[in-house]
Amino acid sequence: MSVPVPALADRATASADRLRSADRVLLASHIDADGLTSAAVAASALARAGIPVETVFKKQLDADEIDSIAARNQETVLFTDFGSGQLDVISKHVAAGDFEAVVADHHQPADPEDCHPDAVYDTDGYADFDYHCNPLLVGIDGASELSGAGAAYALARALEPEDGDNRDLAALAVVGAVGDMQAVGGELVGANSGIVEEGVTADVLREGTDLSLYGKQTRPLPKLLEYATEVPIPGISNDQAGATRFLEELGLDLKREGEWRTWADLTGDECQTVASALVQRAVKRGVPAGKIESLVGTTYTLTAEPTGTELRDASEFSTLLNATARYERADVGLAVCLGDRKAPLEQARKLLANHRRNLSQGLDLVKERGITHAEHVQYFDAGDAIRETIVGIVAGMALGTDGVDADKPIIAFADADGETKVSARATGPLVGRGVDLSVVMSEAARSVGGDGGGHDIAAGATVPAGEETAFIDAADDIVAEQLG
Ligand code: C5P
Ligand code: C5P
Ligand code: ZN
């Protein structure tokens, strides 16, 4: 049997054996697209292995949340898409006999000591903790090469019964990776590409080169082009009449039986016609070559899902999931992932419309209020105007827009139940120059009495209200140091 992530095979096998010896498992996961798909992959694999599972979702895993999990008196707890950053707390519970833990995650582990491939977890409170599947422990990048859902997928393959085949779950693992923005220059790389391969072999995935605009499955053609602001094309982007005219001039039938056609409805020739015309228009209007190149990219199609639905495209699927879990409706997203396509899908679509509206209003707000510049970071405070669970997405989207410096990490604040949520986003080039936001968030947060963590390119924290300025000062110093 092939293994999708060979470097994690031993850890996955040990973790799977541990889970098999459990009567039942409490599965705890994170409330975003990667967390949802992690949970769906793990829950499916457990169910197929005949192990009863109950799933709970948490916005952030901290000592209080882990206490509340311990209070459920479950013998075995599987953490997915979080847990590594809280290993210190989890292993204390394990040592105290509160529960046995298995972790499938890709976040920076709590103690750097743990990152040694041969780490033995029997000192410093890491008693008997062998069941830890995290790419960072085996030299794989957790921000761009394997997501939480990918770690859960490695575990799922190890859980496979002898006559079973869990490779169909690769489709969800890819949705998780895409949702965590792991596609580098549009393409999944490293351990992720091993998972893509298994999905292709299992006939649930297709990897292709296509227009890289968001909404190819569901948006009416003119809207697809009008809203495609990742690569602004003068006279088309943000221009409803212009986008429609552009398509009409190509002689395409824009409607069939009174309904708008989508990109997914076009024939191969029609796609070719539109794509070439778009590129020509971009060249003529002076769009930089690098931007034009990014008009075309790798797309991941879930071939078992119906054409023309959000579920068919990994990127659209992941946005649909974020629209549920980040709004306290992880149950809806999980049901969709597990194959329930009636009421939950309807509900998810309603939530998606709301999520889109919030993202666009959030971006408008950032534009209106503007960004404040420190020496090495830039920031905005959304107060209660942007939900804390999506302020990170807005910050990331803002980093690509006019008036926002692409050369500095962006930090965003939002009110969170009397405390302040912090989200930070960087770029590939900044990480290349030494920026590690997981360190920035955890150290700056600790210096003001808060808590944080994440990845080099995207991280977050919670700090006491009123500490925003002190936090920025600390973060600015740390980024300065990292840039040397
Ligand atoms: O908790 P989790 O690891 O699932 O979340 C990762 C977060 O980092 C996501 O919100 C994702 O969008 C963000 N990210 C990013 N840019 C990247 C990689 C991740 O904004 N290049
Ligand atoms: O919330 P946001 O999308 O900004 O989170 C970015 C990344 O930082 C996610 O991977 C999240 O799990 C992580 N994070 C964390 N600790 C926090 C807040 C966020 O590890 N207190
Ligand atoms: Zn994740």
Side-chain angles (χ1 to χ4, degrees), residues 34 81 106-107 148 180:
D34 189 32
D81 196 34
H106 66 134
H107 289 90
D180 258 10

Side-chain angles (χ1 to χ4, degrees), residues 30 32 34-35 81 106-107 143 179-182 326 393 396 425-426 455 457-459:
H30 192 209
D32 65 3
D34 189 32
D81 196 34
H106 66 134
H107 289 90
D180 258 10
M181 309 206 17
Q182 297 208 330
R326 290 180 189 263
I393 302 182
R425 297 291 187 269
H455 311 284
I457 200 160

Side-chain angles (χ1 to χ4, degrees), residues 30 60 107 326 392 421-425 451-455 458-462:
H30 192 209
Q60 205 61 57
H107 289 90
R326 290 180 189 263
K421 164 71 193 295
V422 192
S423 278
R425 297 291 187 269
D451 231 335
H455 311 284
T462 303

Side-chain angles (χ1 to χ4, degrees), residues 31 59 323-331 387 389:
I31 54 138
K59 196 151 66 180
T324 65
R326 290 180 189 263
Y327 296 80
E328 287 160 41
R329 293 310 307 270
D331 57 318
R387 223 181 140 84
T389 52

Side-chain angles (χ1 to χ4, degrees), residues 79 89 236 310 377 385 467:
F79 296 91
V89 182
I236 295 178
E310 295 84 355
V377 300
E467 295 292 341

Side-chain angles (χ1 to χ4, degrees), residues 86-452:
Q86 299 75 25
L87 267 185
D88 43 354
V89 182
I90 291 173
S91 52
K92 272 182 206 135
H93 281 282
V94 173
D98 295 342
F99 53 76
E100 184 62 84
V102 177
V103 176
D105 188 12
H106 66 134
H107 289 90
Q108 194 58 51
D111 183 358
E113 289 274 328
D114 282 357
C115 271
H116 193 279
D118 301 314
V120 179
Y121 303 94
D122 59 1
T123 52
D124 304 327
Y126 295 107
D128 294 326
F129 194 81
D130 294 319
Y131 315 118
H132 187 192
C133 302
N134 185 320
L136 295 164
L137 299 169
V138 296
I140 297 172
D141 184 4
S144 63
E145 295 180 326
L146 199 71
S147 70
Y153 178 75
L155 179 60
R157 291 296 314 286
L159 267 171
E160 218 165 78
E162 212 135 279
D163 57 350
D165 186 352
N166 281 341
R167 286 178 304 177
D168 59 319
L169 302 175
L172 285 172
V174 164
V175 172
V178 169
D180 258 10
M181 309 206 17
Q182 297 208 330
V184 180
E187 191 177 1
L188 292 174
V189 298
N192 276 325
S193 62
I195 298 178
V196 171
E197 250 170 62
E198 292 206 347
V200 171
T201 309
D203 227 359
V204 291
L205 262 185
R206 189 170 61 228
E207 185 177 24
T209 305
D210 200 349
L211 208 59
S212 61
L213 306 182
Y214 177 88
K216 293 194 290 290
Q217 291 293 329
T218 56
R219 280 186 175 160
L221 278 172
K223 295 277 175 222
L224 178 76
L225 301 187
E226 177 193 344
Y227 292 155
T229 45
E230 304 95 317
V231 184
I233 303 176
I236 295 178
S237 312
N238 278 324
D239 185 340
Q240 189 183 0
T244 309
R245 205 175 326 115
F246 168 80
L247 288 164
E248 281 169 353
E249 283 169 4
L250 295 175
L252 289 183
D253 293 332
L254 293 184
K255 289 191 176 177
R256 277 279 151 84
E257 290 162 12
E259 295 276 336
W260 287 105
R261 294 172 80 202
T262 67
W263 184 259
D265 296 329
L266 299 186
T267 64
D269 284 349
E270 288 174 321
C271 291
Q272 198 59 53
T273 306
V274 179
S276 327
L278 259 187
V279 170
Q280 272 173 26
R281 167 72 72 96
V283 172
K284 208 163 87 192
R285 294 298 185 92
V287 177
K291 283 259 178 199
I292 295 177
E293 252 170 52
S294 68
L295 267 174
V296 174
T298 308
T299 54
Y300 298 94
T301 305
L302 280 70
T303 52
E305 303 292 350
T307 302
T309 67
E310 295 84 355
L311 312 175
R312 179 99 176 162
D313 178 85
S315 167
E316 291 196 60
F317 197 157
S318 74
T319 304
L320 184 82
L321 295 179
N322 274 322
T324 65
R326 290 180 189 263
Y327 296 80
E328 287 160 41
R329 293 310 307 270
D331 57 318
V332 173
L334 181 64
V336 172
C337 286
L338 293 176
D340 193 340
R341 296 299 150 70
K342 293 205 170 78
L345 184 54
E346 273 311 299
Q347 184 71 33
R349 284 182 173 140
K350 284 193 190 126
L351 289 161
L352 177 61
N354 172 59
H355 179 49
R356 286 217 178 110
R357 206 162 39 237
N358 287 345
L359 290 180
S360 128
Q361 286 171 359
L363 274 173
D364 288 346
L365 181 101
V366 176
K367 226 176 268 166
E368 268 161 40
R369 293 202 186 162
I371 305 263
T372 311
H373 286 265
E375 202 172 334
H376 301 283
V377 300
Q378 52 192 336
Y379 63 98
F380 65 90
D381 189 343
D384 63 2
I386 301 178
R387 223 181 140 84
E388 50 132 335
T389 52
I390 64 161
V391 76
I393 302 182
V394 174
M397 290 168 83
L399 198 48
T401 60
D402 286 345
V404 181
D405 195 343
D407 260 1
K408 281 182 188 172
I410 186 166
I411 295 176
F413 297 109
D415 298 350
D417 301 329
E419 296 184 297
T420 295
K421 164 71 193 295
V422 192
S423 278
R425 297 291 187 269
T427 62
L430 279 168
V431 170
R433 285 163 52 200
V435 169
D436 183 344
L437 291 179
S438 95
V439 173
V440 176
M441 288 294 108
S442 83
E443 288 185 359
R446 207 170 317 131
S447 77
V448 300
D451 231 335

